Amino acid sequence: MELAIDRVTKRYANKIACDRISLTLHAGVYGLLGANGAGKTTLMRMMCGVLAPTSGTIAFDGIDVNHEDYRDVLGYLPQDFGYYPEFTAQNFMLYIAMLKGLPKVRAMEKSRELLELVSLEKEAKKKIKTFSGGMKQRLGIAQSLLNDPKILILDEPTAGLDPKERVRFRNLISRLGAKRIVLLSTHIVSDVEHIADTILLMKNGQLIHQGTLEQIIDTITGKVWECSVSQEAAEIMCEKHPVINIRQEGEKIFLRLICENPPQDDATGVTATLEDLYLYYFSGVNEQ
Amino acid sequence: MNSFWSLTGFEYKKILCRKSTWIVFFLAIIATVISVSGTLLGNSYIDGEIYESNYEGMTKDRSYARSLSGQAIDHKLIVKAVDAYSKIPGSDSYHDTTEYQTFARPYSAIYAIVRTVYNTESKRFNMEDFQKLSEEQVEQFYALRRNKQVQLVEATSMSDKAKEKVLVLDAKIMTPLIFSYTDGYTRFFVTVYTLGLVAAFAMAVCIAPIFSGEYAAGTDQLILTSRHGKNKLIAAKLFTGFSLAALICAVLTAVDYILSLSLFGSDGADAPLQLYSPLSPYPLTMGKTALILAVCTLFACLMTAAITMLLSAKFKSPFGVIILVGLLLIMPMFVSISERNIVLYNLFQLLPTNMMPYWTVTNGILYELLGLVIKPYVFMPIFAIVISMLLAPLAYRSFKKHQIG
């Protein structure tokens, strides 16, 4: 099982959304991290065959992304997508199951099973227009699993889910990743931290890091510091170093920041986290 | 194949779930009913007093016409009509006179047929002319009709072959014409145009979102990443669009036809078309003409459906599609093309709006293509089929190649 992305580029008139991205994915969970506009959604859309790359190829076990057989093994949860408000959840699932080529009986069984999995079995006969955002998101997750996909691409899957649902979803993804390629993008760093076997970091259309959590964090290991400083010193440090966290503590300012050497003598070196790395790379981007 | 029908079922479900579908369909039925029965509403007045209701007038005219049904429109009948009309004293509004109501009105259907033949380019044949119609002129009625037909055909810029064909067709018309009451059919001929436009617009509103609705709602991403989303589903959508267009058109045509015949009378299916259009060159009966009009309207609707679906696949919003299709249906009503430029004239008649009216479908200007001379009511449906077959794959391809982003 191999999903090969070879020098994939997506160029618009005045912007390169994805720049020569090459990746080989095998069974497992991949977490795609990046700020808004980093190119995550563009890459995912190209991997789903709904956006043609300017150059490069995408193939699963030699099957081109544009082939029906590729779509047959694909499950996709887009970031922003619509429903048919007048459809019931059950009808919606049956419709998607038909689109995915499931026979009618199997479609009924699978729909019931997945609605149960996402705790929507009691709402199966209710119209989608009555659903909350979280319920719609769960329905979206359920539809992506209808064809038991070998490639599961989830764009911001935990958006709109409450903490309990998120934990349930993370566990589900972990299970699914054992037998298939799961690629998920999210802004919620802890989701990736908990479930991704491999983390992919995108910035400005390029893949800047990829590896396990330990490998990724290694970039900033020994460079994360915490200290309490005066207001004036804090302002100077904020200008010189990427600041991960800042808060008022009495008369002092608490800082968590990244720099090569201790920012001051009493600074404490702390264990780096994925969130540190994310903010290290993307806080600047978000400010822009 | 099963999945195709299941997907078609879901496409129908999507359309039928929308309130706009039912509102438009309900309004279309109302418009059809009003267009058929509209002339029966209200009253006719003489000297400011209600003389009779329009419905009473229709039933009276119908009974007069029925009493003449089966009679040949020959010298004898025309003279009878002239005699009856001669009793009317000179008056601008002769309809208001007792003499007209008593003696002439029973022959008003004959007068309506005869006057068309005696009209000339320079003078419109009126009631006074009819009163003065000589025995000799009456005797020459069919010869005059034929001469007029020859003149009309010669005045066109059709090829000699086409002109000859029109005259051959005209020669096949059995004379003398046998009179029959036909108002049920003629009402259908008049209203089928309105119903066709209403059906085409209603259909456009219903199927405009078939592709663009998916883009607008954001469901395109789910569809286009599914196994059948780029093949079977598109075929199912196209089938849904065409079948719904046919269904809407068929239902409205049936309502129009049944209502016309039940309100005005179902007599005259076998009567010659010339009782309605004395100068029509086509040897058709009223029943066949009604069928031809229904078929042409149906294919015009199918062609409109093809155009709507292509625009739907190209546009990101159904509103733009509805507006464009609306303009396509309405604009030709305000444009007139001279018959002298026969190519442009004939092309203009191939717009969906122009494929529906009685006067274009049974127009005496024939189509000429690759040496063949084809009657408009044969050419128009064939053209609609060809265009629909060309546009449907373009819509298919456009949705298949749609890019998200």
Side-chain angles (χ1 to χ4, degrees):
Chain A
M1 190 184 290
E2 182 181 276
L3 179 60
I5 300 160
D6 186 22
R7 285 164 294 173
V8 165
T9 298
K10 183 66 192 179
R11 188 179 295 117
Y12 293 105
N14 53 1
K15 189 192 171 192
I16 297 181
C18 280
D19 191 7
R20 286 166 295 160
I21 291 180
S22 291
L23 264 175
T24 305
L25 310 182
H26 296 100
V29 180
Y30 294 80
L32 187 57
L33 275 178
N36 290 333
K40 304 185 301 288
T41 296
T42 302
L43 177 65
M44 287 181 147
R45 284 175 177 169
M46 288 191 288
M47 290 169 75
C48 292
V50 289
L51 184 64
T54 310
S55 62
T57 58
I58 297 167
F60 174 73
D61 286 345
I63 307 164
D64 185 77
V65 68
N66 293 311
H67 201 278
E68 186 185 319
D69 291 344
Y70 183 99
R71 294 197 300 277
D72 197 23
V73 296
L74 176 69
Y76 178 42
L77 173 70
Q79 186 178 5
D80 297 307
F81 66 106
Y83 298 85
Y84 304 103
E86 298 296 331
F87 274 29
T88 62
Q90 190 181 42
N91 272 332
F92 177 74
M93 289 293 279
L94 285 174
Y95 176 55
I96 301 291
M98 291 293 161
L99 280 173
K100 288 174 182 256
L102 268 70
K104 211 164 189 173
V105 177
R106 180 85 186 113
M108 298 282 279
E109 285 169 7
K110 198 72 187 168
S111 298
R112 203 179 309 118
E113 183 188 311
L114 287 168
L115 285 174
E116 205 176 310
L117 186 77
V118 296
S119 309
L120 285 175
E121 70 274 21
K122 284 179 190 160
E123 282 79 20
K125 297 262 165 72
K126 285 186 182 164
K127 285 186 178 177
I128 302 175
K129 67 179 177 186
T130 63
F131 282 18
S132 67
M135 287 160 83
K136 284 180 188 167
Q137 192 67 5
R138 280 186 274 152
L139 185 61
I141 292 162
Q143 67 77 29
S144 70
L145 297 170
L146 271 165
N147 56 333
D148 201 9
K150 288 180 182 164
I151 309 165
L152 184 59
I153 296 178
L154 308 163
D155 199 354
E156 303 283 352
T158 50
L161 299 185
D162 64 34
K164 191 178 145 197
E165 285 166 346
R166 264 177 55 211
V167 171
R168 273 193 67 188
F169 175 72
R170 289 196 315 219
N171 295 338
L172 171 68
I173 293 298
S174 294
R175 282 204 311 274
L176 293 169
K179 287 184 190 166
R180 69 201 85 209
I181 297 164
V182 181
L183 177 67
L184 67 112
S185 81
T186 178
H187 283 113
I188 302 163
V189 177
S190 61
D191 284 347
V192 173
E193 209 164 23
H194 280 95
I195 54 176
D197 306 316
T198 307
I199 295 163
L200 310 167
L201 226 58
M202 274 190 86
K203 188 175 181 180
N204 298 331
Q206 290 182 322
L207 203 59
I208 54 170
H209 279 296
Q210 78 176 88
T212 60
L213 181 63
E214 293 72 28
Q215 288 167 335
I216 291 270
I217 289 175
D218 198 42
T219 320
I220 54 165
T221 299
K223 298 175 188 171
V224 184
W225 307 92
E226 285 180 355
C227 56
S228 290
V229 295
S230 66
Q231 180 77 41
E232 296 76 23
E235 281 172 17
I236 293 165
M237 283 181 195
C238 285
E239 278 177 22
K240 283 168 75 177
H241 309 291
V243 175
I244 307 298
N245 190 8
I246 183 166
R247 69 171 183 266
Q248 189 84 36
E249 279 187 349
E251 289 183 357
K252 297 267 184 173
I253 306 287
F254 171 83
L255 290 174
R256 182 179 174 108
L257 47 76
I258 298 174
C259 61
E260 289 292 328
N261 299 306
Q264 65 175 40
D265 294 342
D266 61 348
T268 317
V270 290
T271 309
T273 65
L274 188 58
E275 195 168 12
D276 294 330
L277 183 84
Y278 183 88
L279 292 168
Y280 172 61
Y281 277 116
F282 301 118
S283 56
V285 175
N286 285 332
E287 279 161 18
Q288 283 164 21
Chain B
M1 204 59 189
N2 276 342
S3 57
F4 172 83
W5 293 115
S6 299
L7 290 171
T8 303
F10 276 109
E11 289 307 315
Y12 263 101
K13 196 177 177 71
K14 282 185 212 173
I15 293 170
L16 297 177
C17 275
R18 281 196 294 268
K19 276 185 193 144
S20 61
T21 301
W22 294 103
I23 292 170
V24 160
F25 190 68
F26 178 70
L27 291 177
I29 294 276
I30 297 282
T32 306
V33 170
I34 289 173
S35 73
V36 175
S37 59
T39 56
L40 298 180
L41 306 174
N43 303 303
S44 69
Y45 294 82
I46 292 179
D47 297 332
E49 298 283 320
I50 293 176
Y51 177 69
E52 63 190 7
S53 71
N54 287 347
Y55 180 76
E56 284 166 354
M58 183 275 290
T59 52
K60 197 182 279 181
D61 286 331
R62 183 169 61 189
S63 70
Y64 287 146
R66 278 177 175 162
S67 68
L68 297 174
S69 286
Q71 292 188 46
I73 305 176
D74 54 7
H75 174 265
K76 194 176 145 195
L77 185 59
I78 299 173
V79 167
K80 260 193 201 173
V82 171
D83 288 346
Y85 269 74
S86 298
K87 293 190 170 75
I88 304 170
S91 166
D92 283 342
S93 48
Y94 69 89
H95 285 105
D96 296 354
T97 62
T98 315
E99 289 81 0
Y100 169 75
Q101 297 295 345
T102 313
F103 306 110
R105 191 170 172 179
Y107 293 94
S108 57
I110 305 300
Y111 169 59
I113 295 165
V114 167
R115 66 187 293 184
T116 315
V117 174
Y118 290 108
N119 269 335
T120 63
E121 264 185 52
S122 55
K123 191 174 184 314
R124 196 171 162 80
F125 189 83
N126 61 25
M127 199 276 291
E128 281 84 7
D129 299 324
F130 189 54
Q131 287 177 322
K132 290 177 221 153
L133 203 65
S134 66
E135 288 269 339
E136 194 184 347
Q137 279 175 299
V138 172
E139 203 71 58
Q140 291 297 309
F141 177 71
Y142 288 102
L144 199 64
R145 184 195 165 278
R146 175 70 180 177
N147 284 344
K148 199 160 189 182
Q149 192 67 273
V150 174
Q151 281 173 22
L152 285 171
V153 171
E154 288 302 330
T156 66
S157 43
M158 286 191 289
S159 71
D160 289 344
K161 193 177 171 184
K163 286 176 182 173
E164 192 190 332
K165 178 152 183 177
V166 175
L167 293 174
V168 167
L169 283 167
D170 188 66
K172 287 182 185 168
I173 295 164
M174 299 284 284
T175 56
L177 300 169
I178 304 298
F179 183 78
S180 172
Y181 173 73
T182 58
D183 279 13
Y185 280 92
T186 57
R187 190 72 205 141
F188 177 72
F189 296 170
V190 172
T191 53
V192 78
Y193 179 39
T194 313
L195 112 84
L197 286 175
V198 167
F201 189 72
M203 172 277 302
V205 171
C206 293
I207 66 171
I210 206 154
F211 294 112
S212 59
E214 308 287 2
Y215 307 150
T219 42
D220 50 351
Q221 302 181 77
L222 300 180
I223 289 172
L224 292 168
T225 53
S226 65
R227 183 180 163 191
H228 295 321
K230 289 188 177 182
N231 40 50
K232 269 188 189 172
L233 176 79
I234 309 178
K237 278 178 177 289
L238 291 171
F239 177 80
T240 304
F242 283 124
S243 57
L244 186 70
L247 198 67
I248 290 174
C249 188
V251 169
L252 293 183
T253 306
V255 170
D256 189 348
Y257 184 80
I258 292 166
L259 208 59
S260 294
L261 267 58
S262 21
L263 286 176
F264 291 87
S266 57
D267 338 28
D270 295 326
L273 175 62
Q274 284 65 31
L275 296 183
Y276 178 58
S277 294
L279 294 173
S280 172
Y282 300 109
L284 296 168
T285 62
M286 290 286 177
K288 273 186 187 168
T289 309
L291 183 65
I292 285 168
L293 277 171
V295 169
C296 285
T297 303
L298 172 69
F299 281 98
C301 280
L302 291 179
M303 190 165 96
T304 311
I307 295 166
T308 307
M309 286 192 281
L310 175 62
L311 292 174
S312 180
K314 295 273 182 200
F315 280 45
K316 288 194 174 156
S317 154
F319 299 108
V321 180
I322 293 168
I323 288 167
L324 265 184
V325 176
L327 286 174
L328 177 79
L329 292 171
I330 291 165
M331 288 309 282
M333 289 193 263
F334 302 101
V335 179
S336 171
I337 306 276
S338 166
E339 282 180 27
R340 292 182 186 198
N341 189 341
I342 199 157
V343 176
L344 196 61
Y345 176 81
N346 272 348
L347 278 175
F348 184 63
Q349 307 306 327
L350 295 174
L351 289 174
T353 305
N354 293 339
M355 277 191 200
M356 302 169 188
Y358 165 81
W359 58 90
T360 56
V361 171
T362 59
N363 192 344
I365 309 276
L366 303 183
Y367 282 83
E368 293 176 69
L369 191 72
L370 306 168
L372 294 170
V373 180
I374 310 163
K375 287 170 259 183
Y377 57 80
V378 174
F379 191 83
M380 284 172 174
I382 294 171
F383 178 81
I385 293 169
V386 171
I387 292 296
S388 301
M389 284 170 71
L390 288 173
L391 296 185
L394 291 179
Y396 186 105
R397 196 170 176 276
S398 189
F399 187 70
K400 185 176 178 174
K401 300 280 176 193
H402 176 70
Q403 300 284 295
I404 316 272

